[in-house]
Amino acid sequence: MFEVQPARIRWEPNAFLMQVANELKPGDALDIGMGSGRNALYLARAGWNVTGFDTSTVGVVKARAAATEAKLALNAIEADMFAFDYGTARYDLIVVMYMGRIEPLGARIVTALRPGGHLVIEHYGGGYEPDSLPRVFPGLEILRYSEDEGFPDYNQRTKGPVLRFHARKALN
C-alpha cells in the first residue's frame, strides 16, 4: 500500500491529533498502525519520544528514512497490532488512526497508558456502534467523542461520518 502514493491519502499529520497533542506535555507516545509515519514524525518533531509500528515493511522503511532525513528519533517497528507488546503504564499518548475495529485491544491499550495518559482515535464513522468506544476502553475519562459529517482524514474524496475520540486515564 505504501509503495505508491495514492492521490486520495493525506501525508500531512492528522488535524485532530495535532489539536490534542498541542495541548499536552510531550512524553512517550505510541502510534498504532503508523503507516509511513506521518503522525509519528509529527509527534517526534513536537518533542515526543515516539514508537510507531505497522505490518507494512514498506511503510516502516519509509518512516525510518523520513526520520533519519529529518534527524528525528523514531522507534519504527514492523509488527501486528494484535501481537505487539503494549506493556504496562508505558505511554503518555496512544494514537490509533484509521485502524479498523480495535475492540480486542481495549484492555491492553488502557493498561499501556500511564496514569494521566491520553488515547486519541479517529476513524470512519459507522465503523463502531454508537457510544461503543467508552465500553471498549473502560476506566478512561472521555474528553471528546463525536461523529461529525465531513471528509475523513485518510480519504479526502468521500464525505461521510468521521468518529473522533479523545480520552484520558485517571491519575490514580
Side-chain angles (χ1 to χ4, degrees), residues 2 33-35 53-60 77-81 99:
F2 298 102
M34 74 169 176
F53 69 86
D54 201 283
T55 58
S56 168
T57 302
V58 173
V60 171
I77 301 167
E78 185 176 344
D80 179 272
M81 68 181 182
M99 283 305 301

Side-chain angles (χ1 to χ4, degrees), residues 33-57:
M34 74 169 176
S36 59
R38 67 190 179 113
N39 294 314
L41 293 165
Y42 163 75
L43 291 170
R45 278 187 198 94
W48 292 83
N49 177 29
V50 184
T51 296
F53 69 86
D54 201 283
T55 58
S56 168
T57 302

Side-chain angles (χ1 to χ4, degrees), residues 3 28 38 44 59-60 77 79 84 86 92 98 106 111 116 123 125 134 154-155 162:
E3 292 183 50
D28 295 316
R38 67 190 179 113
V60 171
I77 301 167
F84 183 78
Y86 293 87
D92 301 295
Y98 297 92
T111 299
H123 190 63
Y154 200 74
N155 177 352
V162 178

Side-chain angles (χ1 to χ4, degrees), residues 57-139:
T57 302
V58 173
V60 171
V61 167
K62 284 187 172 198
R64 286 178 184 155
T68 298
E69 183 179 324
K71 295 180 173 63
L72 295 171
L74 171 62
N75 182 20
I77 301 167
E78 185 176 344
D80 179 272
M81 68 181 182
F82 298 105
F84 183 78
D85 177 14
Y86 293 87
T88 300
R90 189 181 288 174
Y91 301 103
D92 301 295
L93 173 64
I94 297 179
V95 177
V96 185
M97 297 291 164
Y98 297 92
M99 283 305 301
R101 302 190 64 100
I102 58 169
E103 289 92 333
L105 299 175
R108 291 170 66 193
I109 289 172
V110 171
T111 299
L113 282 170
R114 288 187 177 126
H118 293 256
L119 172 62
V120 177
I121 298 172
E122 184 171 299
H123 190 63
Y124 300 106
Y128 295 93
E129 294 296 319
D131 298 319
S132 66
L133 285 180
R135 292 188 303 275
V136 172
F137 302 104

Side-chain angles (χ1 to χ4, degrees), residues 16 20 110 113 117-121 131-147 163-170:
F16 179 50
V20 172
V110 171
L113 282 170
H118 293 256
L119 172 62
V120 177
I121 298 172
D131 298 319
S132 66
L133 285 180
R135 292 188 303 275
V136 172
F137 302 104
L140 298 185
E141 174 190 4
I142 310 306
L143 303 175
R144 178 175 176 181
Y145 188 35
S146 66
E147 202 166 297
L163 177 123
R164 291 181 180 93
F165 179 85
H166 175 206
R168 177 178 53 215
K169 189 171 186 176

